[in-house]
């Protein structure tokens, strides 16, 4: 019952209006063993995340462990999306990473100040994606001690439905 | 034909593309590193996607320069998308031409925009031919 399982897969929501960049970020994430959902706008991202806003979220099968979004998108920008997420009681703890093809320090600072964990310059590389892990582990590790059934160095098993977001 | 010979030709072709500045070595290599058994043709697929997508963007940019008054804001928006995709696949010369176009666009210089858009199209077409030949050779080498 309390068997030690392989580390649960983290689910990343990728947001980018560019088809090519979406394909690229999907591949980068999948190659790094993440489960990926990609959408082409901030609005669709919020729609998708809205599915997590249900009262009985514990029973929902959909979990998002990290959001990675392009900055420049028509309509709602990645920055607007970041703000909306950080303003939402149920979504604010999901780590958010911003991507941009433009290296504008004031833009980068603004995003980091608003709560983005990282800012990646495009084109995004595998080495960038490898920086995501600590942000994901940080969010989940606070739950591990109370659920550990073994005191050994093995990875603790916790039921997927109780991963907090 | 000897496979090793074909592989050497593939390597030679690729290095030429890098040395002649058509492709960004780092970015293109990154794309190749993403190819695996599940996606053995990832690079060719993404390049094909790029050419389908970018043809449309070029047409849209041309259209903005035909309309009067010229909507330079719109042109810059389309260019931003196009430049982004180009840099994602490592299309170096195309990207450089885009940078020039961006400057003329910011300056609202119609003649400059027309001229550099032609340059963008040219580089875009040349790279397409080079890459088609390259992927053909990759396929032949197995």
């Amino acid at each position: 019952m309390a068997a030690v399982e392989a580390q649960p897969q983290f689910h990343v929501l990728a947001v980018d209006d560019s088809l090519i960049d979406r394909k690229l970020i999907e591949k980068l994430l999948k190659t790094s063993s993440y489960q990926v959902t990609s959408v082409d706008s901030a609005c669709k991202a919020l729609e998708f995340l809205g599915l997590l806003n249900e009262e009985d979220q514990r029973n929902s099968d959909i979990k998002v462990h990290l959001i990675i979004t392009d900055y420049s998108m028509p309509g709602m920008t990645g920055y607007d999306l970041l703000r909306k997420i950080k303003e939402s009681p149920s979504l604010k703890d999901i780590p958010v990473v911003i991507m941009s093809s433009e290296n504008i320090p004031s833009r980068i600072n603004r995003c980091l100040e608003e709560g983005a964990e990282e800012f990646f310059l495009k084109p995004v590389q595998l080495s960038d994606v490898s920086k995501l892990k600590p942000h994901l582990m940080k969010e989940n590790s606070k739950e591990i001690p109370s659920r550990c059934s073994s005191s050994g160095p093995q990875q603790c098993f916790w039921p997927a439905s109780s991963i907090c977001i | 034909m000897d496979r090793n010979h074909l592989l050497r030709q593939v390597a030679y072709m690729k290095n030429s593309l890098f040395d002649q500045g058509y492709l960004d070595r780092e970015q293109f290599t990154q794309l190749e590193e993403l190819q695996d058994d599940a996606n053995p043709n990832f690079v060719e697929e993404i390049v094909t996607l790029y050419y389908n997508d970018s043809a449309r963007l070029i047409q849209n940019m041309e259209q903005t320069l035909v309309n009067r008054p010229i909507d330079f804001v719109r042109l810059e928006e389309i260019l931003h998308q196009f430049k982004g995709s180009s840099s994602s696949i490592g299309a170096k010369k195309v990207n450089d031409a885009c940078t020039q176009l961006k400057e003329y666009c910011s300056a609202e210089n119609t003649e400059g925009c027309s001229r550099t858009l032609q340059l963008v199209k040219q580089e875009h077409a040349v790279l397409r031919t080079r890459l088609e030949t390259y992927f053909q050779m990759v396929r032949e080498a197995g």
Side-chain angles (χ1 to χ4, degrees), chain A residues 101-115:
Chain A
S101 52
E102 292 166 297
N103 188 353
I104 302 172
S106 58
R107 173 184 290 186
I108 299 173
N109 286 330
R110 203 154 58 109
C111 289
L112 295 174
E113 277 164 21
E114 198 58 43

Side-chain angles (χ1 to χ4, degrees), chain A residues 60-105:
Chain A
S60 169
D61 285 332
I62 307 172
K63 297 292 172 194
V64 168
H65 301 105
L66 184 134
I67 298 162
I68 182 163
T69 177
D70 187 26
Y71 182 94
S72 310
M73 293 187 290
M76 206 189 295
T77 66
Y79 178 75
D80 298 327
L81 176 61
L82 168 65
R83 289 192 69 187
K84 281 209 154 30
I85 290 166
K86 293 304 169 189
E87 281 164 14
S88 157
S90 56
L91 301 175
K92 66 179 170 62
D93 290 326
I94 308 180
V96 181
V97 169
I98 310 275
M99 306 178 278
S100 176
S101 52
E102 292 166 297
N103 188 353
I104 302 172

Side-chain angles (χ1 to χ4, degrees), chain B residues 48-104:
Chain B
T48 304
L49 210 59
Y50 165 74
Y51 273 100
N52 291 337
D53 194 55
S54 57
R56 179 183 57 91
L57 294 174
I58 288 178
Q59 265 189 329
N60 291 346
M61 285 194 281
E62 283 184 312
Q63 189 57 49
T64 63
L65 289 175
V66 161
N67 296 335
R68 288 295 180 275
I70 297 182
D71 188 347
F72 287 103
V73 170
R74 178 80 190 116
L75 175 57
E76 187 149 359
E77 277 172 9
I78 306 167
L79 177 59
H80 179 82
Q81 282 185 54
F82 178 81
K83 188 169 193 283
S85 310
S86 302
S87 93
S88 289
I89 65 147
K92 199 151 185 255
K93 284 198 183 190
V94 175
N95 211 23
D96 291 342
C98 286
T99 303
Q100 287 183 52
L101 176 52
K102 188 170 184 197
E103 283 173 22
Y104 283 116

